[in-house]
Protein backbone atom coordinates (compact mmCIF):
# COMPACT_ATOMS: atom_id res chain seq x y z
CA UNK A 1 0.00 0.00 0.00
CA UNK A 2 1.06 3.55 -0.73
CA UNK A 3 0.16 6.69 1.17
CA UNK A 4 -0.94 9.80 -0.70
CA UNK A 5 1.53 12.59 0.03
CA UNK A 6 -1.27 15.15 -0.39
CA UNK A 7 -4.13 13.81 1.77
CA UNK A 8 -2.69 10.77 3.57
CA UNK A 9 -5.13 8.24 2.05
CA UNK A 10 -3.99 4.66 1.52
CA UNK A 11 -4.12 3.40 -2.08
CA UNK A 12 -2.52 0.86 -4.38
CA UNK A 13 0.15 1.97 -6.86
CA UNK A 14 0.98 -0.75 -9.39
CA UNK A 15 4.38 0.78 -10.06
CA UNK A 16 5.47 1.12 -6.44
CA UNK A 17 3.53 -1.65 -4.71
CA UNK A 18 3.78 -4.35 -7.40
CA UNK A 19 4.73 -7.87 -6.45
CA UNK A 20 8.05 -8.56 -8.20
CA UNK A 21 6.97 -12.18 -8.77
CA UNK A 22 3.94 -11.11 -10.83
CA UNK A 23 4.21 -9.57 -14.31
CA UNK A 24 3.78 -5.81 -14.05
CA UNK A 25 0.50 -4.26 -15.09
CA UNK A 26 -0.01 -0.56 -15.81
CA UNK A 27 -0.94 1.55 -12.84
CA UNK A 28 -4.44 3.07 -12.59
CA UNK A 29 -2.89 6.52 -13.15
CA UNK A 30 -1.83 5.65 -16.69
CA UNK A 31 -5.51 5.58 -17.68
CA UNK A 32 -6.08 9.21 -16.66
CA UNK A 33 -5.43 12.18 -18.93
CA UNK A 34 -1.86 13.51 -18.87
CA UNK A 35 -1.37 15.97 -16.03
CA UNK A 36 0.82 18.95 -15.43
CA UNK A 37 3.60 17.81 -13.13
CA UNK A 38 2.34 17.03 -9.64
CA UNK A 39 3.98 19.39 -7.13
CA UNK A 40 6.35 17.49 -4.91
CA UNK A 41 8.31 17.88 -1.74
CA UNK A 42 11.30 15.92 -0.46
CA UNK A 43 10.13 12.39 0.32
CA UNK A 44 6.78 12.90 -1.42
CA UNK A 45 5.17 9.99 -3.21
CA UNK A 46 2.32 9.49 -5.65
CA UNK A 47 -1.10 10.98 -5.07
CA UNK A 48 -4.22 8.87 -4.56
CA UNK A 49 -6.82 8.64 -7.34
CA UNK A 50 -9.03 11.36 -5.82
CA UNK A 51 -6.17 13.86 -5.39
CA UNK A 52 -4.70 13.21 -8.85
CA UNK A 53 -8.12 13.53 -10.50
CA UNK A 54 -8.72 16.82 -8.65
CA UNK A 55 -5.26 18.06 -9.68
CA UNK A 56 -6.07 17.30 -13.33
CA UNK A 57 -9.38 19.18 -13.04
CA UNK A 58 -7.77 22.14 -11.27
CA UNK A 59 -4.88 22.50 -13.70
CA UNK A 60 -7.11 22.09 -16.75
CA UNK A 61 -9.15 25.08 -15.54
CA UNK A 62 -6.12 27.26 -14.75
CA UNK A 63 -5.23 29.82 -17.42
CA UNK A 64 -1.71 29.34 -18.86
CA UNK A 65 0.96 31.28 -16.98
CA UNK A 66 -0.97 31.26 -13.68
CA UNK A 67 1.16 30.06 -10.73
CA UNK A 68 -0.15 26.74 -9.40
CA UNK A 69 -0.71 25.89 -5.75
CA UNK A 70 2.14 23.63 -4.61
CA UNK A 71 -0.21 21.54 -2.47
CA UNK A 72 1.43 22.74 0.75
Amino acid sequence: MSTCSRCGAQFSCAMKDADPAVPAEPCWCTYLPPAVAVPSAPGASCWCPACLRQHIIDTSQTPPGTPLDNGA
Side-chain angles (χ1 to χ4, degrees):
M1 275 299 186
S2 291
T3 301
C4 178
S5 61
R6 186 174 186 199
C7 73
Q10 296 288 304
F11 68 99
S12 178
C13 171
M15 294 179 193
K16 182 177 178 187
D17 304 327
D19 181 344
V22 177
E25 291 187 28
C27 189
W28 58 266
C29 66
T30 63
Y31 299 103
L32 295 178
V36 173
V38 172
S40 64
S45 64
C46 296
W47 285 359
C48 69
C51 286
L52 184 55
R53 284 186 182 100
Q54 189 61 52
H55 175 72
I56 291 168
I57 291 167
D58 292 346
T59 57
S60 70
Q61 296 174 358
T62 303
T66 303
L68 299 176
D69 177 13
N70 69 0

